[in-house]
Amino acid sequence: MSTTSRNPSAFDELMAIRGGQLARDEVTISGSDPLFVSPFRIGATLAGALAARAVAANDLWELRTGRRQSIDVDVRAAAATALGGEDMTLVRDATGEYRPAPLSPDVEHMVSLTQPWQTADNRWFVPHFNLPHLERRVLEVLRCAPAPESVRAAVRTWKADDLEDAIAAAGACGGVVRTAEEWLAHPHGAYLASRPVVEITKIGDSAPEPLPGGGDPLSGIRVLDLTRILAGPTAGLGMAEHGADVLMVTAPHLPQVPPFVRDTSHGKRSTYLDFTKPDEAARLRELARDADVFIEGYRPHRLEAHGFGAGELAEDRPGLVYVSVNCFGSGGPFETRAGWDQIAQAVTGICDLQGRMTEAGRPKLTPVYLCDFLTGFLASFGAMLALARRAREGGTYRVQVSLGQSAMLLQRQGLISGFENAPGRLRPDEFERYAVTDDGTGYGDLKSLGPVIRMSETPPRWSRTTPQLGSSRPEWISR
């Protein structure tokens, strides 16, 4: 049985950002929570964001054709998107059978340490241990070994606020577990509460740009994807599903999590460019001059130091849509801090409520990467709204989304009861929506949970196989 919420649904909140009218029968969202052992409306919130993304794609389709399409989103399939690859990707083994991908040892190690640990003042703190260089920074602050008992003991010697500040000063990631009320009273929580969950700002003038030719909502649209690890790559994936040419840009020395790369790269191309090297930075600028969308997921202001901030690129490419994906949003006292899904859950109140309502005695993270995937859906939604505005009225746009805002959007949906007997995990064989990818990708033959959105004329799809990193030249496909 569900509790009620006085707030608008996630879908309605996003439609208010879009503005305009919407036919009542255009969108069907079927199914309901609970699907996980969690008091949050995880499936419904993800489905609402995907439905909103589909409406934004429909707006572009209408600009192309004068027609609109019907949209269907299944809550259960939407929830499955947030499980991550180990649950929703099947790999063909030597016998020819498709079986769930094994859990990555690196992810397993990260999960064992990235948990709520009690502090000296009897509060709780979540340090984050993804990627070797960030793990080293946390361990240098804690002065402990990378093992659960060592981390537990080290965190117990710190006061929570002092540890949060020390971790931030070290350029590492971690957050105090706060209640939802504490977060809204915090200066940064109050800042985010004053901003829309998707911020779209016109930052320059340019002439209207009609959409390029093609048979999908984003056909001919060029997207540079400078992101890693879930939220940002999910934004690029969403645009590829609607027909964009998405070129992932990374460098060989940058650390990655292979299962996450695999499962957020479908339909994209991948190239290597190191923007710290002058000749490669010059080539990246050339690509940006011919791009429509630039997605970045770096620590705030990091790209500005290399000449790839929104203002710099807007001067070279009027009409660009510049999308920023981060943890703490567009401003506020935590603006420059880095963070991950688990940190957003900790500071905003999700971790506290998940623990209090499911496991008495300690905070607990949700069973899915909810903030990451939701933020990715919101980023592609915002990018497509900005492209539609550019087509109608011209302009250069900045789109900003954050894990913290996504966590707050989830909580605005209200809580549910009766989740104790929810399945907790969804099985890959429950879904018929698998797309097969092969062709020597380096990942083997795969079956992955395919695009969840259903559109009556242009169903989202992956037009290319899953690429190996660096397998494409740094150039655009002719349109």
Side-chain angles (χ1 to χ4, degrees), residues 9 21 54 92 108 126 279 336 347 358 374 381 409 433 468:
S9 71
Q21 299 297 313
R92 189 165 69 174
E108 194 169 18
V126 177
D279 58 335
T336 59
V347 301
T358 64
L374 180 56
F381 165 73
L409 175 65
R433 301 175 178 184
Q468 287 182 303

Side-chain angles (χ1 to χ4, degrees), residues 156-216:
R156 200 72 167 96
T157 67
W158 285 82
K159 290 185 177 180
D161 290 337
D162 292 343
L163 181 54
E164 186 173 61
D165 290 341
I167 290 284
C173 303
V176 174
V177 174
R178 295 177 172 86
T179 67
E181 294 76 18
E182 288 172 337
W183 178 243
L184 291 175
H186 187 279
H188 198 86
Y191 171 81
L192 291 183
S194 73
R195 310 296 298 173
V197 67
V198 179
E199 297 187 48
I200 305 174
T201 307
K202 187 177 182 180
I203 61 173
D205 293 321
S206 66
E209 294 188 34
L211 294 168
D216 290 300

Side-chain angles (χ1 to χ4, degrees), residues 232-253:
T234 297
L237 176 65
M239 302 199 79
E241 290 178 356
H242 291 291
D245 177 17
V246 180
L247 182 61
M248 298 188 297
V249 179
T250 187
H253 68 277

Side-chain angles (χ1 to χ4, degrees), residues 58-68:
N58 220 1
D59 292 342
L60 295 170
W61 180 249
E62 185 178 27
L63 286 172
R64 290 179 181 276
T65 67
R67 304 192 305 273
R68 295 191 71 82

